[in-house]
Amino acid sequence: MLQCFAQTSKQLVVVDALVWPDSTIFARMAAKKSASVRVKKAASIPVKKSRSSPSHRRTVVPAPIAPADALTQLRALAMNTWWSWNEIARRPFAALDPVMWHATKCSPLSVLAFSGPSTLSAACDENGFRLALADATAASNEAMNAPSWWSRTQAKKHPNTLIAYFCSEYAIHESVQQYSGGLGVLAGDHLKSASDLGIPLVAIGLYYSHGYYIQQFAQDGTTKVVYPVYDRRTMPVEETGIIIDCPIGTDTVRAKVLRMDVGRTKVFLLDADLPENKPENRLLTEGLYKGEPELRMRQQVLLGVGGMRALRALNLAPTKIHLNEGHAAFAALELLAEFRSNGLSHDDAIERVRARTVFTTHTPVAAGHDRYDAAWVWGALQGTLARAGVSRAELEALGRENASDEREPICMTVLCLRLAARVNGVAKLHAEVSRAMWKSVYGVKRASAVAITSITNGVHVPTWIDPRAARFWRESCGFDPCAATPRNSGWKRAAQAPIADFWSMRLSLRTALVSFARERLTRASQRRGENPQALEVCANMLDASALTIGFARRFATYKRAPLIFTDIERLAQIVGDGKRPVQFIFAGKAHPRDVQGQAYAKQVFDMTRHPLFRGKVVLIEEYDMAVGRALVAGCDVWLNNPIRPHEASGTSGMKSPLHGGINCSILDGWWPEGFDGTNGWAIGSAKDESFSETDAHGAGQARDARDALALYTLLEKKLVPDFYDRGRDGLPRKWIKRALASAATIPDFFSTHRMVSEYTTRAYIS
Ligand SMILES: *Cc1c(COP(=O)(O)O)cnc(C)c1O
């Protein structure tokens, strides 16, 4: 285990460098620059000597700083979540109180809130800390004002552009619990890329006091749903002083407008937990996807209608509104009401709304779209609809596929399709499925006549790339993986990476993951009160040199987490081969109301206890961004086996190639676009599928069996032989070639820098 023993004048701390690699970096940096910190490497993991971050590296020792001044600088850094993707801005917090840093999921504000004044004044005596603080402050000031892709190429032509981006969740960092899964991750990554590229975009969302639930597995593998209470002081949100009124039904709900800074991007979050609101209305912003459908609908009124009102109260006049998923559909109706109040005729107002609205749909499964009883919607939106001059019949015409079907509920997606001129799916295949699915809304016979295009998802590279991998690409391949440009052709150089160095980088990431997993498994075992032998077992699980396959995602049933366990005997053969060991690391949360998804989680949990798999198949609880980062960095293979075509895009598979990981996936979501035959593996084929919705039971069993068979065959014939086919130097050349092809071909395109620039040119400014 790689640990840093950092001895400061006040404390002796053991920092687990593997929970967050920053600590290694800090320790190395501090060791170079401060005589009072000594660093010792405890294990024999090959960590290459390297220069620290390329820019903002100071050679002069900064002047003494008063604790009060340091605190001001630290607060300014902590309040802008720019730190979440810029390691340089996290360093001073890790240095200030390393124990608190790790105990609080690396939350800068928690470190400030919970570490005492003596810690701060002690830190101010340290050269290393002062350097880290000065570097962080300089780098962040520079980044906020740096010229950007937008300022260089678009700003002059489109001077008044302002995009308002609506989403029900934002995943910025694991310590900011305002997300549940992929949608939030995509939205968070969108905002970060908008900041890096300088795109004039503000975001609207809700501020959830409980966030999403924390997942724990009980002794028997059942899911425990825990809602912690978060200390407001630890959340990087600022009061704006603005309170809006939002009509919901016959109530006027008041909501505070909070601001979260994501680099240059501002996010405005509505908080209805105010004493003047009725108790049931205070619950509107209690939790994410929590509660009955009617509460969910009312939340969405607050998001859409309240969000538009917040923009007005802030004096922001967006030139486009981007509804990311149907949750914020009501924003378009509030916009309609605005245009009508300004005197536009009904038809003109509808046209203006359509021209101004961009909609991204995320669900290729008909049942996955939010639908609410028409009477509820009519009741909840009465204020807005009266101002918009929309009758009950028109509401139904806008929100139903078939307006005259009395029983049909109002569908949020249908509303968006009718009120947005620009509509896109999140991958080519998904757009194709969506066109077929929504023909009736567009009143056309042929799917090709449906105006739904695709803008394929991506990931924000600086957020997801492990600092060790980033350093490898910079130093061994000579390109910056985090360049703030729409495309990054530097990735092509990955194909020529020095293979021995690449393989030792892979080993160090896999080793880090094994330690991370052991620590998490031990912690969970401890919490369950298991006996010392069980703890001992956890501490020795997994093998840092074995072929490591990762599966981490929401445990939605269509993702089929337990598919690999279809034939236990066959899997046992693969996993149990002493000469060519294979291991699986699982993580994933099911929605608290998704009984089947939780049953899947339990099934995987039970398998981790099976004598044939113990220590070789593990399940890490509380899948969050930190677990995600550790897994996508350390796993050799990223496994994805959804029911095709139910995965709209999927993004976790885009994070793995940043580290030279290889995808092994059903040809669903983004993978048909990403896979070129040499940069990963496809499970099964795309040919024999129709786009009709296959039911999960009857025909489903045959399909599952067929996909499982294809997966076993791949494992036995390709993955395992390639991984263990070693030259005399111990290097698996064939494997490395595929891994480098994965890095050379995938991250350039499947990044949110490319995605956001595409939204910009194709939807925001056209
Ligand atoms: C990337 C990521 C997701 C999205 O992954 P999918 O492949 O779409 O399932 C969800 N949750 C977390 C924590 C992630 O990091």
Side-chain angles (χ1 to χ4, degrees):
M1 190 150 145
L2 178 64
Q3 288 180 327
C4 302
F5 298 83
Q7 188 169 13
T8 69
S9 53
K10 287 271 190 290
Q11 58 200 157
L12 176 72
V13 292
V14 179
V15 181
D16 186 343
L18 301 152
V19 174
W20 187 284
D22 287 10
S23 47
T24 358
I25 293 158
F26 168 66
R28 189 165 48 235
M29 182 193 71
K32 276 191 178 169
K33 293 175 184 161
S34 162
S36 63
V37 177
R38 258 175 287 139
V39 176
K40 179 175 145 199
K41 258 189 252 138
S44 59
I45 299 151
V47 176
K48 282 197 62 171
K49 261 204 227 142
S50 63
R51 282 163 274 131
S52 52
S53 160
S55 56
H56 315 298
R57 194 166 161 259
R58 304 195 159 191
T59 43
V60 289
V61 172
I65 185 166
D69 296 334
L71 190 60
T72 307
Q73 286 186 28
L74 287 165
R75 256 199 86 72
L77 286 168
M79 287 305 288
N80 190 327
T81 59
W82 189 77
W83 55 258
S84 66
W85 73 99
N86 291 278
E87 184 269 321
I88 196 167
R90 293 192 293 265
R91 280 186 215 166
F93 301 97
L96 178 61
D97 193 337
V99 172
M100 195 62 76
W101 178 243
H102 290 289
T104 61
K105 287 192 170 188
C106 310
S107 158
L109 281 169
S110 300
V111 169
L112 295 187
F114 305 133
S115 60
S118 61
T119 308
L120 180 62
S121 56
C124 288
D125 289 340
E126 300 280 355
N127 282 346
F129 170 77
R130 295 206 307 274
L131 255 169
L133 182 58
D135 283 356
T137 301
S140 103
N141 290 341
E142 195 181 300
M144 290 317 132
N145 301 306
S148 64
W149 171 73
W150 173 268
S151 68
R152 285 192 307 268
T153 66
Q154 308 293 334
K156 277 215 186 71
K157 287 178 273 176
H158 307 280
N160 298 315
T161 304
L162 179 66
I163 313 307
Y165 180 89
F166 284 74
C167 192
S168 54
E169 52 170 307
Y170 294 99
I172 304 297
H173 185 257
E174 57 270 22
S175 66
V176 187
Q177 284 283 342
Q178 298 282 318
Y179 67 97
S180 84
L183 182 71
V185 170
L186 180 77
D189 283 9
H190 193 111
L191 304 188
K192 291 171 180 174
S193 279
S195 170
D196 289 344
L197 298 179
I199 291 159
L201 181 147
V202 296
I204 299 286
L206 301 180
Y207 179 81
Y208 304 100
S209 46
H210 285 184
Y212 197 51
Y213 81 100
I214 300 271
Q215 174 197 52
Q216 294 180 349
F217 291 116
Q219 195 94 41
D220 64 355
T222 52
T223 298
K224 289 202 286 178
V225 174
V226 182
Y227 282 100
V229 177
Y230 295 102
D231 186 332
R232 259 306 165 83
R233 289 176 303 162
T234 68
M235 289 295 141
V237 288
E238 199 110 52
E239 305 267 341
T240 61
I242 292 173
I243 293 185
I244 55 135
D245 287 335
C246 179
I248 306 181
T250 50
D251 293 344
T252 297
V253 177
R254 309 197 80 204
K256 245 197 228 178
V257 182
L258 302 171
R259 196 190 77 228
M260 175 162 69
D261 292 335
V262 181
R264 298 191 261 208
T265 308
K266 293 183 178 4
V267 189
F268 296 100
L269 300 169
L270 304 180
D271 175 11
D273 187 18
L274 303 181
E276 59 264 43
N277 283 332
K278 289 186 193 164
E280 66 266 32
N281 290 332
R282 297 184 70 163
L283 293 181
L284 284 170
T285 52
E286 187 194 38
L288 180 56
Y289 310 140
K290 199 180 166 189
E292 301 298 326
E294 193 173 0
L295 174 67
R296 188 174 158 107
M297 178 197 66
R298 289 161 59 83
Q299 278 187 318
Q300 294 177 353
V301 177
L302 183 63
L303 174 65
V305 175
M308 287 303 293
R309 287 169 170 242
L311 288 168
R312 218 176 310 147
L314 291 157
N315 271 322
L316 296 172
T319 46
K320 284 281 185 332
I321 62 171
H322 182 175
L323 309 177
N324 190 44
E325 178 57 299
H327 304 141
F330 299 142
L333 292 171
E334 175 66 18
L335 184 60
L336 184 67
E338 263 183 43
F339 284 136
R340 292 305 304 276
S341 335
N342 294 341
L344 283 189
S345 73
H346 173 273
D347 291 1
D348 287 349
I350 291 269
E351 267 328 293
R352 291 283 292 278
V353 170
R354 284 177 46 78
R356 190 170 289 186
T357 307
V358 178
F359 171 53
T360 303
T361 178
H362 287 267
T363 313
V365 183
H369 296 261
D370 280 339
R371 289 180 171 83
Y372 303 115
D373 190 277
W376 289 3
V377 179
W378 176 247
L381 276 182
Q382 53 188 267
T384 302
L385 293 174
R387 281 169 48 243
V390 168
S391 65
R392 169 93 184 242
E394 189 181 359
L395 171 70
E396 290 166 358
L398 286 170
R400 281 178 178 158
E401 288 183 60
N402 174 2
S404 58
D405 181 351
E406 282 300 312
R407 284 160 315 168
E408 196 184 317
I410 300 290
C411 174
M412 298 298 272
T413 304
V414 173
L415 269 179
C416 290
L417 295 174
R418 293 227 169 83
L419 291 170
R422 286 176 185 76
V423 179
N424 71 282
V426 290
K428 283 195 175 124
L429 176 62
H430 173 231
E432 203 174 318
V433 173
S434 301
R435 285 192 289 270
M437 192 158 75
W438 300 116
K439 280 187 298 197
S440 68
V441 174
Y442 288 79
V444 295
K445 289 240 161 50
R446 283 182 310 117
S448 58
V450 171
I452 300 179
T453 59
S454 74
I455 295 181
T456 301
N457 282 168
V459 294
H460 183 251
V461 175
T463 294
W464 295 105
I465 196 168
D466 186 285
R468 287 163 286 211
R471 212 177 314 132
F472 173 79
W473 302 123
R474 277 193 200 107
E475 294 176 5
S476 301
C477 297
F479 72 95
D480 177 8
C482 300
T485 46
R487 296 300 294 264
N488 185 352
S489 62
W491 282 103
K492 287 197 183 73
R493 296 177 183 224
Q496 265 74 53
I499 64 172
D501 291 353
F502 171 74
W503 198 238
S504 68
M505 186 268 287
R506 287 291 326 144
L507 175 64
S508 79
L509 292 177
R510 196 186 312 109
T511 306
L513 170 60
V514 166
S515 304
F516 174 87
R518 286 175 180 170
E519 204 226 83
R520 290 296 178 105
L521 293 164
T522 307
R523 209 193 286 173
S525 172
Q526 231 156 17
R527 197 204 62 243
R528 288 193 286 264
E530 288 170 2
N531 61 33
Q533 290 95 305
L535 289 181
E536 184 72 25
V537 169
C538 289
N540 291 296
M541 279 177 172
L542 302 169
D543 170 355
S545 59
L547 170 55
T548 304
I549 301 180
F551 182 104
R553 36 186 49 85
R554 282 180 306 115
F555 275 0
T557 46
Y558 76 86
K559 298 191 186 234
R560 297 189 293 187
L563 186 75
I564 189 80
F565 302 108
T566 304
D567 184 341
I568 291 180
E569 310 270 290
R570 194 159 173 185
L571 181 64
Q573 293 270 322
I574 297 170
V575 165
D577 184 333
K579 289 216 184 70
R580 306 190 304 176
V582 179
Q583 58 196 5
F584 287 84
I585 307 186
F586 283 86
K589 273 162 116 165
H591 186 274
R593 287 168 182 244
D594 180 359
V595 177
Q596 188 58 40
Q598 286 180 21
Y600 275 20
K602 177 169 160 47
Q603 211 176 322
V604 174
F605 183 92
D606 291 345
M607 285 297 150
T608 67
R609 304 266 153 145
H610 193 291
L612 291 169
F613 300 133
R614 200 152 181 130
K616 295 171 182 147
V617 176
V618 302
L619 171 62
I620 298 176
E621 63 184 19
E622 180 52 9
Y623 177 41
D624 66 358
M625 293 177 79
V627 173
R629 269 198 320 271
L631 264 83
V632 296
C635 290
D636 301 291
V637 174
W638 198 250
L639 176 63
N640 182 37
N641 46 232
I643 297 171
R644 187 179 194 266
H646 288 196
E647 186 66 86
S649 167
T651 56
S652 57
M654 303 170 185
K655 302 165 188 166
S656 171
L658 306 174
H659 310 92
I662 310 179
N663 279 276
C664 177
S665 171
I666 297 271
L667 281 165
D668 195 13
W670 72 283
W671 191 229
E673 286 165 72
F675 179 56
D676 68 4
T678 68
N679 59 0
W681 292 280
I683 305 169
S685 75
K687 290 197 195 86
D688 53 350
E689 296 282 343
S690 73
F691 295 146
S692 68
E693 219 165 285
T694 352
D695 86 316
H697 309 290
Q701 265 171 8
R703 178 204 50 218
D704 290 354
R706 184 199 60 204
D707 289 347
L709 197 65
L711 176 53
Y712 291 132
T713 309
L714 264 181
L715 280 166
E716 292 161 353
K717 298 248 151 58
K718 300 270 199 289
L719 276 70
V720 177
D722 284 4
F723 189 84
Y724 287 106
D725 178 9
R726 304 294 169 97
R728 255 185 301 168
D729 51 8
L731 299 175
R733 289 197 156 58
K734 213 164 155 191
W735 183 278
I736 292 174
K737 190 158 187 240
R738 196 178 296 269
L740 292 176
S742 167
T745 57
I746 291 166
D748 168 26
F749 184 81
F750 296 95
S751 83
T752 41
H753 284 7
R754 186 273 310 154
M755 179 192 84
V756 171
S757 71
E758 212 179 321
Y759 274 107
T760 301
T761 50
R762 290 177 51 196
Y764 294 167
I765 56 176
S766 58

